[in-house]
Amino acid sequence: MTAVKVQAMHSAVTDRRYRHLNASTPDKLSEQPSNRPEPALPETLRRLEQRLARLEQHLRLPPLEETPPATAGSVAPAPAPLLAPAVSAESEEELEYVVGQKWFAGVGVLVLTCGVGFALSLPLAGLPSAAPSAAGFALAAILLLVARVWRKSFELVSGHLRGAAMALLFFATLRLFFFGTSPVLAIGSLAGRGVLAAVVVVNVVLAWRRRSPWLLGLAMVTGLVSAIAVGAPFGVFVTVAALAGLAAYAAVRHDWPGLLLAAFPAVYATHLLWAINRPWSGRAFHVQTEPAAGTLFLLGYVVILAAGSWRRRERAHEDPATILAVLLNCGASYGIFLLQSLRTPAADFAVAHLAAALVYLGLAVAFWRSEASRISTFFYAMTGYLALSAAIARTFPAPDVFIWLSGQSLVVVVTALWFRSRLIVVANFFIYVSIVLAYMVVAKEESGISLGFGVVALLTARILNWKKERLELKTELMRNAYLASAFVVFPYALYHLVPGAYVSVSWVGVAVVYYLMNLIVRNPKYRWMGHLTLLLTVLYVIVVGITQLAPAYRIISFLVLGTVLVVVSLIFTQVRARRKRE
């Protein structure tokens, strides 16, 4: 910047001198010729150097270092950057400013606040019980007054002092109930709850008036600690819901995504501490299931906090903050919900998880309809499907539960088509495979349920092929995966259902069904499934039929299989000849 200023002033001086020398018009010069001779070039350069020297002296510029003349064959050194020393000095000064003013201010106020808090927590038996709290209130008022006076001259320190005052105000209120030899107020009394509520309201008002996200977060923490300190169930539920709504509203109103992210662990940690019976001060650890409204309020927190992301200002894309928000909302909420509902009766468990499924799926629909969301829709939808699976698993005994779970797989695929979500389709396939494998492990004997798995796989493949444009599937991978599942499941089911003598005949029947499906839907994949099933049957007859089947059944197996193979060959021969003629 200094070199640029010198050059600009140099140009201004030269231009002014040029205008001064040419101030007279040519006519006047011709009429009144000047007797004053024009200055020679050396004199002009000398005057220019004098002016530049005065400018350098006025700007307090350091003298230029003389560079030695370049000798023959030597390379002239590159000119040193003029701005490098200034930039380095400015960076060092900025770092020192950050450390000395910002960090030291925040850490210093925090240390002082902790020191005062430790002092207030001492029993102080020689003083009245209310004296420490009164001192804390007075100190908080002084800090608020100093923060108000310094709000313009020391804005940074003023903000830290305001936060320290809010913290001390709340801690001094807690001192009325704890830490002393005898409490001034009972935490469960109406007066005690009123004092705590008043302090929380004061902190929220102070934070809201200053429009500070971190002060509002501090006020929220004081409210949540107050709720869990009192411990009344509905007091905890209402307070947590109100503060969650405040965080969501503030995040939308003032565009504070960080406050919303901080609200997720704070809200769910508070509810979790209540759910496990606040295990401190000698209280036993156990999961509370009463009142049952606790699980409903938990679902309410999910909706309230999700609204903060759903109504955010920038909805053209999902930024990392939005993705982290949906992960926290789904993971924390359903984890606590499942923990609380595990000990409830089966009927209540099913109703609760059906309600949870509706809530999560409703949020998935809301995010999809409002912004065509991919990530949020996926996680809310999958959490809803998980709740629905839990309700099914708790309602129906094994192995009948696998029929309902496989039917749910079709529902998931249909909704995935509506959401245009390839992620849901892929996740559903792995869930489907897990259900099939679990059935194979759990079921002691085959009861025909595996046939249902095969039917579900074929229907899913047909649905995906029917509406493939909605998913914009670029490959046949998922449809081939479901068809491969059907190819494996049907022989497995028939092997366990049909007597050993008729296994090969039943497999030939499956191959015939595939050929018929090829004629109906005109898809060569079913034809290939028929080919592979026949080859599998040939392998079975050669390995098992010859050694284990009775002679009569062995003859029937060979005759049926051979006839079908010859007929298929003749059909393909005719089809190939017709195509050649065409």
Side-chain angles (χ1 to χ4, degrees):
M1 292 299 292
T2 305
V4 175
K5 289 181 179 178
V6 171
Q7 184 177 2
M9 300 181 84
H10 180 192
S11 301
V13 171
T14 306
D15 185 55
R16 187 174 63 181
R17 181 175 181 83
Y18 177 78
R19 289 198 305 268
H20 176 72
L21 292 175
N22 295 278
S24 301
T25 61
D27 294 334
K28 291 184 178 181
L29 288 176
S30 60
E31 295 173 359
Q32 298 178 0
S34 174
N35 296 326
R36 203 171 162 188
E38 290 291 332
L41 181 60
E43 179 65 19
T44 303
L45 293 177
R46 186 183 65 80
R47 292 180 179 180
L48 183 59
E49 288 180 356
Q50 289 179 351
R51 290 180 178 273
L52 290 176
R54 291 176 61 188
L55 289 174
E56 290 178 352
Q57 184 179 5
H58 177 71
L59 296 174
R60 298 180 181 179
L61 297 177
L64 295 177
E65 297 182 359
E66 296 184 359
T67 57
T71 59
S74 64
V75 179
L82 297 176
L83 299 181
V87 172
S88 177
E90 290 179 2
S91 300
E92 184 177 353
E93 183 180 357
E94 180 67 21
L95 178 60
E96 186 177 3
Y97 165 78
V98 171
V99 174
Q101 183 174 2
K102 292 186 177 181
W103 292 3
F104 283 2
V107 175
V109 173
L110 178 62
V111 171
L112 289 175
T113 305
C114 292
V116 174
F118 290 144
L120 293 179
S121 63
L122 295 176
L124 302 176
L127 295 176
S129 300
S133 296
F137 293 146
L139 184 56
I142 293 173
L143 290 178
L144 288 175
L145 180 60
V146 173
R148 180 175 178 82
V149 173
W150 286 358
R151 67 184 184 278
K152 293 183 179 180
S153 56
F154 300 100
E155 182 179 359
L156 184 63
V157 178
S158 174
H160 293 317
L161 290 178
R162 192 173 289 107
M166 293 168 56
L168 286 178
L169 178 63
F170 177 69
F171 193 81
T173 306
L174 285 184
R175 184 64 172 78
L176 296 173
F177 310 99
F178 307 103
F179 310 117
T181 55
S182 59
V184 179
L185 294 174
I187 191 67
S189 64
L190 183 60
R193 297 179 183 182
V195 170
L196 279 174
V199 170
V200 172
V201 171
V202 168
N203 283 342
V204 170
V205 171
L206 288 174
W208 190 265
R209 290 186 60 185
R210 300 307 304 173
R211 293 191 177 184
S212 172
W214 81 271
L215 287 180
L216 187 58
L218 177 62
M220 287 182 54
V221 170
T222 61
L224 295 174
V225 172
S226 299
I228 202 65
V230 174
F234 284 96
V236 174
F237 304 153
V238 174
T239 303
V240 172
L243 293 175
L246 177 63
Y249 176 73
V252 175
R253 174 73 179 274
H254 299 296
D255 194 17
W256 293 339
L259 178 66
L260 185 64
L261 284 178
F264 285 102
V267 164
Y268 290 121
T270 303
H271 188 90
L272 178 62
L273 288 175
W274 171 84
I276 60 177
N277 197 34
R278 300 181 295 157
W280 57 79
S281 300
R283 299 177 64 90
F285 174 88
H286 73 272
V287 179
Q288 299 195 98
T289 58
E290 295 294 336
T295 53
L296 297 180
F297 272 96
L298 188 58
L299 296 179
Y301 309 154
V302 175
V303 176
I304 293 171
L305 293 175
S309 299
W310 181 49
R311 300 301 301 173
R312 68 188 187 278
R313 294 183 182 180
E314 182 57 45
R315 292 191 287 174
H317 66 282
E318 294 177 294
D319 54 6
T322 304
I323 296 174
L324 182 58
V326 67
L327 286 174
L328 290 173
N329 205 18
C330 292
S333 62
Y334 189 71
I336 300 174
F337 186 88
L338 184 62
L339 176 67
Q340 280 194 265
S341 58
L342 280 176
R343 296 179 56 192
T344 58
D348 296 340
F349 182 94
V351 171
H353 281 259
L354 283 176
L358 292 176
V359 169
Y360 289 112
L361 290 175
L363 289 174
V365 172
F367 274 89
W368 173 251
R369 293 294 297 273
S370 64
E371 58 188 83
S373 164
R374 300 289 183 182
I375 305 300
S376 298
T377 299
F378 170 74
F379 281 107
Y380 282 120
M382 294 308 298
T383 309
Y385 299 142
L386 179 61
L388 182 59
S389 299
I392 293 174
R394 188 70 183 273
T395 303
F396 301 98
D400 295 341
V401 65
F402 295 101
I403 301 176
W404 294 93
L405 291 176
S406 61
Q408 181 193 350
S409 177
L410 285 176
V411 176
V412 174
V413 170
V414 172
T415 55
L417 288 172
W418 188 69
F419 290 140
R420 296 178 180 266
S421 176
R422 285 173 287 180
L423 293 174
I424 296 179
V425 173
V426 174
N428 182 67
F429 172 74
F430 287 105
I431 295 173
Y432 167 81
V433 172
S434 302
I435 293 171
V436 174
L437 294 177
Y439 171 77
M440 292 179 179
V441 173
V442 172
K444 298 180 180 179
E445 60 179 10
E446 181 60 52
S447 58
I449 294 177
S450 295
L451 294 176
F453 294 153
V455 172
V456 168
L458 292 178
L459 290 176
T460 303
R462 287 308 306 155
I463 293 173
L464 293 178
N465 186 71
W466 178 37
K467 293 294 185 180
K468 59 184 178 182
E469 70 280 356
R470 291 191 62 86
L471 294 174
E472 300 177 356
L473 292 174
K474 304 300 182 183
T475 65
E476 301 289 324
L477 180 61
M478 293 312 304
R479 293 194 291 276
N480 292 342
Y482 278 105
L483 291 177
S485 302
F487 171 76
V488 173
V489 166
F490 279 122
Y492 170 83
L494 293 174
Y495 177 81
H496 289 86
L497 286 174
V498 178
Y502 299 102
V503 169
S504 58
V505 177
S506 64
W507 288 6
V508 171
V510 172
V512 172
V513 171
Y514 288 147
Y515 289 134
L516 293 176
M517 291 183 67
N518 170 62
L519 294 176
I520 295 172
V521 300
R522 300 293 180 180
N523 192 328
K525 294 180 181 180
Y526 294 103
R527 191 165 61 242
W528 275 105
M529 291 177 68
H531 299 339
L532 295 175
T533 304
L534 286 181
L535 293 177
L536 182 64
T537 307
V538 171
L539 182 63
Y540 176 82
V541 169
I542 292 175
V543 175
V544 178
I546 295 178
T547 58
Q548 298 183 7
L549 294 181
Y553 295 117
R554 187 186 312 139
I555 293 172
I556 293 174
S557 298
F558 274 82
L559 290 178
V560 172
L561 178 59
T563 302
V564 172
L565 289 172
V566 171
V567 171
V568 171
S569 177
L570 292 175
I571 292 174
F572 274 94
T573 301
Q574 291 182 354
V575 171
R576 185 178 181 85
R578 184 169 63 252
R579 289 182 177 178
K580 285 184 177 182
R581 289 195 301 270
E582 293 175 354

